[in-house]
Amino acid sequence: MRTAIFPGSFDPFTAGHLDVLDSALKLFDKVIVAVGYNSNKTTGFFPVDIRIKIIKDAIKPYGERVDVCCYKQLTIDLCHKLGVNFIVRGLRTTTDFEFEGVIAQANRVLDPDVVTVYVQASHEYSFISSTVVRDLLIHNGDATPFMPTGVDIKKYIKAKKELKK
Ligand code: ADP
């Protein structure tokens, strides 16, 4: 069985991420969405447990072919822990390409047997980013069109506000 991890901050997981996942499932039997605590984004907008709940809502239609986990270590160490040899990442623009290239090269040096596979964003999702979704949510905008079907983002905004009380 071919398994890949799809690592990212997913703060939050968007329709763009789901599109990448959907393509990855054409290549792999199973994909594990791995929520990483990025060193530059330590706090984040949503706490990791809410990010995971959002992903669980989004991946429901895929059943057992998709799993979700979170990790703090290096992505390559997560690959070793899970026994996975493929990393899936999405590409929207040339900026993504350059950024992703640096990460993939580093991972390749750390373990040449782990291959990074890029999925090109569909044009209808290529403008979607977690940053845009967060900006909308901060300013009470409706982020629903940018979210995967099945994710009630308003419910999670409420849950986030409850945590602050
Ligand atoms: P990170 O903080 O690790 O970059 P993100 O959660 O922002 O993680 O994104 C995870 C992956 O998904 C990255 O490879 C990113 O380029 C990709 N991605 C994000 N949004 C889209 C989109 N709309 N279309 C295709 N790929 C995307």
Side-chain angles (χ1 to χ4, degrees), residues 2-61:
R2 265 177 194 260
T3 304
I5 62 161
F6 177 24
S9 311
F10 305 118
D11 190 19
F13 193 85
T14 67
H17 292 130
L18 192 73
D19 179 53
V20 171
L21 178 65
D22 198 73
S23 298
L25 285 166
K26 292 179 176 129
L27 293 167
F28 301 100
D29 303 300
K30 185 166 181 151
V31 178
I32 301 165
V33 181
V35 182
Y37 301 68
N38 189 315
S39 50
N40 290 326
K41 306 175 186 173
T42 38
T43 46
F45 181 73
F46 283 110
V48 171
D49 60 330
I50 292 186
R51 287 188 226 174
I52 286 182
K53 281 182 185 158
I54 292 171
I55 294 168
K56 281 188 174 163
D57 287 349
I59 64 176
K60 249 183 210 145

Side-chain angles (χ1 to χ4, degrees), residues 6-11 14 16-17 20 38 41 89-92 96 99-100 119 121 125-130:
F6 177 24
S9 311
F10 305 118
D11 190 19
T14 67
H17 292 130
V20 171
N38 189 315
K41 306 175 186 173
R89 296 282 288 178
L91 292 181
R92 288 160 291 188
D96 271 353
F99 177 75
E100 296 296 337
V119 170
Y125 297 116
S126 61
F127 66 94
I128 300 178
S129 67
S130 299

Side-chain angles (χ1 to χ4, degrees), residues 53-73:
K53 281 182 185 158
I54 292 171
I55 294 168
K56 281 188 174 163
D57 287 349
I59 64 176
K60 249 183 210 145
Y62 298 107
E64 292 191 348
R65 289 191 67 202
V66 184
D67 248 342
V68 59
C69 73
C70 64
Y71 71 107
K72 263 186 182 166
Q73 70 264 53

Side-chain angles (χ1 to χ4, degrees), residues 67-88:
D67 248 342
V68 59
C69 73
C70 64
Y71 71 107
K72 263 186 182 166
Q73 70 264 53
L74 290 173
T75 304
I76 209 81
D77 289 336
L78 179 72
C79 289
H80 294 155
K81 190 179 140 201
L82 299 174
V84 168
N85 282 328
F86 300 98
I87 298 172
V88 170

